Each structure stands twice: as structure tokens, then as C-alpha cells.
Amino acid sequence: MPGSALAWEVADGVALVTIDLKGEPVNKISRSVKDDFLATLEALERDRAVQAVAFFSGKPDTFIAGADIEEFVALTTAAEAERLSAEGQEMLERVARFPKPIAAGIHGTCLGGGLEFALACHYRVATDHPKTQLGLPEVQLGILPGAGGCQRLPRLIGVRAALDLILAGKTEPAQRAFRLGIVDELVHPAILRDVTLAAVKRMAGGWRPRRKRLGGVAGWLLDGNPLGRSVVFRTARKQVLKQTGGNYPAPLAALEAVEHGMKRGLGEGLKRESQLFGQLAVTDVSRKLVQIFFATTQLKKDLGVPNAPPPCEVRRLAIVGAGFMGSGIAGTAVLHAGVDVRLKDADLARVAKGLAAARDVIDERLKRRRMTKYEHARLVALLSGGDRYAGFGRADLVIEAVFEDLGVKQQVLREVESVTPEGAVFASNTSTIPIAKIAEASARPEQVIGMHFFSPVPRMPLLEVIPGARTAPQVISTAVAFGRRMGKTPVVVKDNPGFWINRILTPYMNEAGQLLQAGVAIDELDRLMVEWGFPVGPITLLDEVGLDVAEKVAGVMHDAFGERFAPAPAFAGMVKDGRLGRKAGKGFYRYARGKKGAVDSAVYQLIGTEPDGGVRPAEIIQRLVLVMLNEAARALGDGIVRSPRDGDVAAIFGFGFPPFRGGPLRHADDLGAPRVVGELERLAERFGTRFAPCEVLQAQASRGSKFYS
Ligand code: T1G
């Protein structure tokens, strides 16, 4: 059919169908694609020459990326969304009941509705290529697999394994999907077509794949009978409640859809699944999560400068400073970017320790069976180090992660420039020192930039990229592109004290200190902010960051911005007392053998306060949140981030601002500037000018404008 997303040809009794959405970067299932599917199935069923069917994608890197997200966000009622899901289910029921064998030959990403389609097929072959990733990421968009995924996956691989995937919205590499039983065969890309065709031909001849029940006796006890399953569901529900704190309805709904289907049968399960899908699709939470998906997708294409010159290719990375940050950067760069990494520090013992830590990052993947031994050995071999600058002569990019001191950093810069090629980029992983200052020591300041990683590097997804006043545009695009290759989300920020993250986090931390002083209990502060949606509360975060580090940042910010950033007196005694947080084994909390314990009540005496429940929870939340929103608005006005989108994505990825609230600026929009300004004014009357509403918010309140139109 002309214009159809599906094309097919018949050879030797098998119809080879190719899905390829013209003009789109990925295959996705929209209403019109669904119609194409139905028309094709109809024709294939009628055609006597066709005895079996094999589906492939015409795209190089995607099989099918799922349902068309833009289509379902356009829906305004739950009933419409329910209908959309039910139509998808009907189409896949048609596939599942198709009278001739159908197989999917999967290469590239196979997600959401794409995997649901593959699950409805009668046989699945996947390539063992790293691009082949399978999963049901729907809950990450605040919805659930709504085209039968909640029904077919548990029937195929067992309830436990299915819940593990669905409730976290996980994506699995093909090898793991094969081990789980999601795909029947794993092959080299070169033979995907032949193997898939051979399988359906065999099926047309009467052969049926035999899928063994996974999990042995334990599997049967838990997955294979209703009693065991009820235990599995109960445990999973508890865990979901604990992880989502009731802020994310999708995982619970997905659990319900799976459970309903396992108890009442496929038909009833499908019905419940589409009802729940309908309800979720129009929730505010889902809208926010989808906005974040599109914001991060846009960011992926953004090189950080208008008309960005193409980035230079980084083949060799050199790092100065083999400490916690340097080794984390080294391990992450090898793991994700697969580049040669040379690690340098002042003495060999430190280098050895750093290399071991970098290697741990790679080992971790092997342990979790996310890579082969061969791949592991290849990556480990890319790491090397020394106490001299040997190897720096071939580096395309050098990242320094040495002690946070201007003199030391400038010294390192000079040494590095004397041993690296002309074109090499020098990036500083500073959190507080202006890049322009560091670049003053440089003979080629246009090659100097900031790359601010967050700790622990392998786990924290954000990277602040900071051009100095003289940094060349190509150096910016190179830093952004390489950060992305490292698996990070780079956001370009202005060279200004605290950049973006510390700028908005510091007032929040200081306010937590003020509240402590006012008699709020440590664990209450943390609990309230976790309930509000942060992964950890402010006091736990301080313990994680380290109080010495936080104190240093707070001091820099105070110097730069004055009274508004006055550090909370509550924190002053902590560093003096050696309470540096987790790394010192003591902070606000106790730590034993690396595990966080209870609040250390001795801290109250140190601060000179006694928790008395004096401040109401609503006021605690209000003060902590508004002080941050106010500073975020002001910093955006100062041009610290280029757009509300960048600011929100960075806050979510940088310190876990609750994704379902969309970010600080989106949240300010939701509250509305008049309300935020009014509340800030009342707080300012009671507690002083640190709450005075910034100009940006005041202007919005008077004009009725917002950050996002
Ligand atoms: N719908 C609409 N647009 C999509 C899309 C989708 N599912 N997937 C990708 N795009 C667009 C994306 O916005 C961008 O557009 C372009 O494709 C390239 O993407 C019933 C309800 C597949 C791993 O959540 O994770 O199925 O900006 O830059 O880095 O149960 O995109 O170029 O115009 O990200 O190579 C579930 C979402 C849907 C997968 C490719 N599926 N996509 O990454 O390219 S819900 C997902 C991704 C569902 C059913 C339910 C990634 C990718 P533009 P990109 P990439």
C-alpha cells in the first residue's frame, strides 16, 4: 500500500514485513500505523501464498520505540485514553490469534508498545547487539503498559520477573531479555533475518517452541500457583509504596492490572489494564513526566551554543587528580565513552588507588551481568595512569579534578598546557571557582572550560558545562558532546558563583539549618522533604555531600551574594567537631560499617537547640521550597541557565527535585506567581529579607506571565 508504514514481500511462503515510518527518526505506533497494521494483517490472512509472517524494522537502531507519546498526551479525557489503549489491545489480540505463525526479528530499541507487539507475536528473535534493548518504560511516563503488556509479560516470564521490569520501567539489553525468556533466540545481527524466517517456516510446518518454566522449584512456589503469587503481589505492593511514597500512581496501577489479569484471566485483565491506562494518562503526574521526556530529548540534540560548530572527537582523555572525583570520571568515561583514559596524580600510591576505584565502576557492570567478560577486559585495558604527564601529549581532552584551590588549579593548568597538543581542551571540575579566574593562567584561554560533575560521578546524571568569557564555541560543543558520550545530561550554565545547582541548593540547605535552629527535629526535616518527593532530605544530603564541602560552598556563595546567603549558624560547629558526614562516619546521623543509622542526638547540644515541634510541617515545607523557587527564578533572570527547560531538567537530574512536580520553575508556574510572591512577602515579614520575592517573580505576578507559556 502506498503511504503505509508497513511494506511486505513474499518469498518461499513467508511474508517478510518491514515497518519503517518515513520521515521519522524512530518507528512508533500511532492511530494511522495501527490502521496500517490492521490492513496488512487482513491482506496477509487472505493471501494463500502466505503461510507465515516475519516482522522486521527498516530503521537502523530501533525496532519500535512504543506508542506515539505525542498522540496520547493530546487526549483530554480518561475515556478517550481508555479507548486508545483498548484499540491497541484489539490490534495485538489480532496478532496473537493470527491463524498463521508470526515472528518478530528484533534489532534496536524495542520499547513499550513495541515490546507489547513483539510479545503478541508467536516467536521472538533478537540480535545480541548493544543497541538492542527491550523494556516497558511506561511507568516512567506516569502510565502503564496499555496494549496487553501487563498481561502477556507475566504469562511469558513469570509474575516476579515481569513485575520487576514493569514496576520500575526498566530496559534490558538483549542478552538479559533472552535469559529472562522474553526472546526465544539471540543471534548476531548478520543472521537475524535468516534465523527469524527459518523459525516461522518451522512453525508453519507444525513445530512449536517449547518454553521451559523459569525459576525451578522456587519459581513454581512463587509464580506457578495462586497462593505463591499473592505473596509476590503483597511484597511488591509494599515495596512500591515505600519507593513512591504515594507520589506516583502508575506503578501501583500497573501492579493492579497484572494482578487482576492473573486472577481473572486475560480478557478481564485487558479490560482493567485499559481502564487504568485511561485514568493514568490524564493525570498531572503523567503530564509532568512526559514533559520531562520531551525536554531531555530536546536537550540531547542541543550542543549548548547557537549554531554550534561540530564537536571535536575525543579519543583520549587525561585526568589530573586520582581522588574520588577523578577516579569516578575515569571509570565512567571508560564505561560509557569507551575512550583511552590516562589518570595522573602526584604519587603512585594515589594513582593505584584511583585506578582501582575507576575499575570498580566497570566491575560493577560485570557483576550485575550487564556486560560480557570480553567487553569488561577490553574496557579495563583502556585505563592507565602514572605520576608524570606521560601520555598527555596525545590527549584531546584533559579534565582536572584536583584540590579546590585557585592556585593549585592554575598550577595544574600551566603544567598541562606545557605537555598537551595545541588543540587539547582543558576542563576544570570545579564547583566554586570561576572558570574565567582559572583561565587567567592559561596561554590558550579559549580552550578552557568547566565540566562540573556531581558526586558520586557514576551515579549522578547531571553535568554542568561552564564556558568562561573567552571559551571558544567549539570547546563548548566538545565538552557537551563528550559529557553526553559519558552518559550524562549536560546543561550549559553561566560562569557565576555556584553555577546553577549550588546556587539554588545553598539557600535550601541554609533554610534547613535555620529550621534546625528553630527547634525542628533532624529526622522530621528529612522525612517531610522525602514525602514531598525528594530522594533524600536536606540533612541527609548534607551528610552525603560532606559538611566541609558544604561549608566551603556556602562561604563562597555568601561572599558573592551577601546577606541572602548567610550560612545557618547551626552548621558552624559541625565541621569543628569533625562531623563531616558519612565519609567521617559521623555527621547529623550515625554511620556504622557504611550504613546510615539513627540521628545522633548529641548534635542538638552542639547546635544549642532542642527539638520542640515548634514549627508546623506545612510551614517547614513552605520555607524550604519557596526559598529555592525564589532563587531559581532569580538565577534564571540572571541568565545562569539558558531556559526554564534547562533549569528544571538540571534540578531534577542534579539533586532529585521531584520529577512529578516538573522542576522548580514548572512548580512555581503551577503555584502561580501571585501566590508565590504573596507567601514570600509574608515570610519576609517574619524572617527577614532572605525571603524577599525576586524581581522576576514580582514582574510575573503583576503581568500574569509564567516561565512556560
Ligand atoms: N513517541 C513519540 N516520539 C518518540 C517516541 C515515542 N514513543 N520515541 C522517540 N520519539 C522521538 C523523540 O521525541 C525524538 O523526536 C526522536 O523520536 C528521536 O528520539 C500502549 C502507551 C527510542 C530510546 O517511552 O526512550 O508504548 O525530537 O532523540 O536517543 O503501552 O527516544 O527528533 O522530533 O530520544 O536514539 C513507551 C521513548 C511509549 C520510549 C531513542 N516508549 N523513547 O533514543 O533518540 S508509551 C518510550 C526513547 C507506550 C503502550 C504505551 C528514546 C529511544 P524529535 P531520541 P535516541
Side-chain angles (χ1 to χ4, degrees):
M1 265 178 305
S4 171
L6 302 175
W8 51 284
E9 59 191 24
V10 185
D12 203 11
V14 181
L16 198 154
V17 187
T18 306
I19 172 165
D20 193 348
L21 256 73
K22 294 285 171 286
E24 293 284 346
V26 300
N27 287 324
K28 50 190 177 178
I29 305 178
S30 60
R31 275 220 164 86
S32 79
V33 172
K34 235 179 270 169
D35 290 342
D36 294 343
F37 261 103
L38 288 172
T40 304
L41 289 171
E42 185 107 24
L44 292 170
E45 190 168 345
R46 257 187 286 123
D47 193 330
R48 293 253 186 88
V50 174
Q51 280 139 37
V53 182
F55 270 94
F56 300 92
S57 162
K59 302 276 183 227
D61 295 334
T62 11
F63 181 67
I64 299 174
D68 187 343
I69 299 172
E70 297 192 48
E71 194 169 82
F72 78 72
V73 291
L75 302 175
T76 50
T77 68
E80 275 179 295
E82 181 178 337
R83 202 168 328 121
L84 188 77
S85 155
E87 284 167 14
Q89 291 177 345
E90 274 161 36
M91 192 241 328
L92 294 188
E93 272 293 283
R94 189 82 206 269
V95 172
R97 292 164 190 267
F98 200 69
K100 307 170 187 183
I102 304 188
I106 304 164
H107 174 76
T109 32
C110 174
L111 300 176
L115 180 57
E116 291 175 300
F117 165 70
L119 291 171
C121 291
H122 310 145
Y123 199 76
R124 287 156 294 279
V125 184
T127 65
D128 58 3
H129 193 275
K131 292 265 184 208
T132 304
Q133 301 274 336
L134 301 94
L136 295 171
E138 284 88 342
V139 298
Q140 299 201 8
L141 299 172
I143 49 173
L144 52 69
C150 295
Q151 313 307 320
R152 289 200 177 87
L153 191 62
R155 282 171 176 75
L156 183 66
I157 66 171
V159 171
R160 271 180 312 159
L163 288 179
D164 185 44
L165 241 83
I166 294 172
L167 300 186
K170 257 196 237 169
T171 297
E172 302 282 8
Q175 280 90 345
R176 225 182 110 71
F178 172 65
R179 263 201 307 277
L180 286 169
I182 299 173
V183 296
D184 296 293
E185 274 185 85
L186 196 61
V187 299
H188 189 276
I191 55 169
L192 176 69
R193 201 184 117 121
D194 290 351
V195 171
T196 311
L197 292 178
V200 266
K201 265 191 216 161
R202 264 182 290 149
M203 288 174 85
W207 174 80
R208 289 289 168 270
R210 269 204 287 161
R211 300 187 174 107
K212 58 175 192 284
R213 270 237 150 264
L214 294 141
V217 179
W220 184 84
L221 282 175
L222 287 171
D223 281 347
N225 71 88
L227 202 68
R229 282 200 294 268
S230 72
V231 175
V232 172
F233 287 122
R234 219 175 321 136
T235 317
R237 181 162 287 117
K238 248 195 234 152
Q239 204 179 345
V240 167
L241 281 172
K242 195 168 148 222
Q243 279 167 355
T244 61
N247 287 325
Y248 297 86
L252 267 190
L255 185 72
E256 187 185 331
V258 174
E259 187 168 14
H260 198 85
M262 292 311 284
K263 283 194 175 139
R264 312 266 174 91
L266 183 72
E268 287 295 313
L270 287 170
K271 215 183 276 169
R272 191 76 193 118
E273 181 181 295
S274 57
Q275 281 167 354
L276 290 164
F277 177 89
Q279 292 166 15
L280 291 173
V282 292
T283 53
D284 191 47
V285 173
S286 172
R287 293 277 136 96
K288 291 279 168 12
L289 296 177
V290 169
Q291 279 158 359
I292 295 165
F293 168 74
F294 284 120
T296 46
T297 305
Q298 273 180 7
L299 256 176
K300 281 195 225 168
K301 281 182 276 194
D302 187 337
L303 283 168
V305 258
N307 309 316
C312 302
E313 201 197 332
V314 175
R315 269 158 303 185
R316 284 183 204 82
L317 170 70
I319 299 169
V320 189
F324 191 56
M325 290 306 279
S327 58
I329 295 168
T332 309
V334 166
L335 183 63
H336 292 278
V339 292
D340 230 306
V341 173
R342 185 83 189 161
L343 194 57
K344 187 229 172 252
D345 208 314
D347 65 77
L348 286 174
R350 287 178 63 100
V351 174
K353 214 173 141 205
L355 286 173
R359 197 191 147 133
D360 281 346
V361 178
I362 307 165
D363 289 352
E364 153 86 16
R365 278 294 165 103
L366 182 69
K367 266 188 227 139
R368 292 191 10 235
R369 304 230 264 164
R370 296 292 161 127
M371 80 171 44
T372 60
K373 278 190 191 139
Y374 168 76
E375 184 63 3
H376 176 260
R378 188 181 74 82
L379 293 182
V380 167
L382 293 171
L383 278 171
S384 66
D387 57 356
R388 310 270 167 81
Y389 284 106
F392 277 57
R394 298 195 308 154
D396 308 298
L397 169 66
V398 179
I399 300 177
E400 72 73 16
V402 298
F403 187 65
E404 190 76 354
D405 175 273
L406 179 62
V408 177
K409 288 194 189 285
Q410 287 186 331
Q411 171 71 20
V412 166
L413 170 95
R414 282 190 210 97
E415 287 171 12
V416 166
E417 282 187 352
S418 70
V419 292
T420 48
E422 274 288 297
V425 171
F426 180 90
S428 170
N429 174 51
T430 176
S431 51
T432 53
I433 304 172
I435 300 306
K437 267 255 156 32
I438 298 173
E440 279 169 11
S442 171
R444 28 185 209 246
E446 64 288 348
Q447 301 286 108
V448 178
I449 195 162
M451 287 176 82
H452 181 208
F453 292 87
F454 292 80
S455 165
V457 179
R459 290 224 319 269
M460 299 300 286
L462 182 68
L463 170 68
E464 289 184 320
V465 171
I466 312 120
R470 299 172 63 181
T471 307
Q474 191 173 39
V475 171
I476 304 175
S477 62
T478 300
V480 168
F482 188 69
R484 204 162 284 146
R485 274 180 72 197
M486 283 181 68
K488 301 300 171 205
T489 296
V491 170
V492 173
V493 297
K494 192 166 158 182
D495 190 11
N496 202 255
F499 313 128
W500 171 252
I501 292 300
N502 282 328
R503 172 80 177 266
I504 63 177
L505 203 51
T506 307
Y508 166 81
M509 296 296 214
N510 281 338
E511 198 55 31
Q514 297 287 355
L515 286 160
L516 278 186
Q517 204 86 43
V520 179
I522 292 167
D523 37 356
E524 187 184 13
L525 266 180
D526 277 348
R527 182 179 54 80
L528 286 172
M529 291 327 280
V530 168
E531 283 172 9
W532 201 75
F534 281 98
V536 297
I539 307 296
T540 298
L541 188 57
L542 272 174
D543 265 4
E544 294 294 334
V545 169
L547 276 113
D548 49 342
V549 175
E551 185 177 59
K552 184 155 189 166
V553 173
V556 169
M557 302 304 283
H558 188 199
D559 291 346
F561 299 105
E563 246 345 84
R564 194 169 84 241
F565 274 75
F571 300 147
M574 296 291 288
V575 176
K576 277 192 214 99
D577 196 44
R579 294 182 172 274
L580 303 186
R582 179 189 284 275
K583 65 186 171 193
K586 60 174 184 172
F588 290 97
Y589 290 85
R590 294 174 198 276
Y591 297 85
R593 274 168 267 108
K595 269 208 147 71
K596 181 177 154 208
V599 167
D600 189 343
S601 50
V603 169
Y604 293 116
Q605 211 180 357
L606 196 71
I607 301 175
T609 163
E610 199 52 55
D612 58 8
V615 187
R616 284 175 302 112
E619 183 183 315
I620 296 171
I621 296 169
Q622 185 198 37
R623 283 167 63 175
L624 286 169
V625 172
L626 290 191
V627 82
M628 178 185 278
L629 299 194
N630 196 23
E631 198 57 37
R634 183 170 1 233
L636 178 71
D638 292 350
I640 305 302
V641 281
R642 294 170 304 157
S643 64
R645 172 202 75 184
D646 282 16
D648 280 339
V649 169
I652 291 167
F653 287 0
F655 56 88
F657 190 94
F660 73 96
R661 298 186 192 275
L665 300 164
R666 180 78 72 176
H667 187 55
D669 272 0
D670 280 350
L671 296 175
R675 175 174 160 192
V676 176
V677 167
E679 289 185 20
L680 282 168
E681 279 169 348
R682 280 189 292 281
L683 289 171
E685 270 168 33
R686 292 172 60 203
F687 304 107
T689 53
R690 68 177 186 274
F691 283 106
C694 68
E695 273 173 36
V696 172
L697 287 171
Q698 284 182 353
Q700 282 191 347
S702 63
R703 277 195 231 118
S705 58
K706 285 176 175 294
F707 293 111
Y708 293 89
S709 46

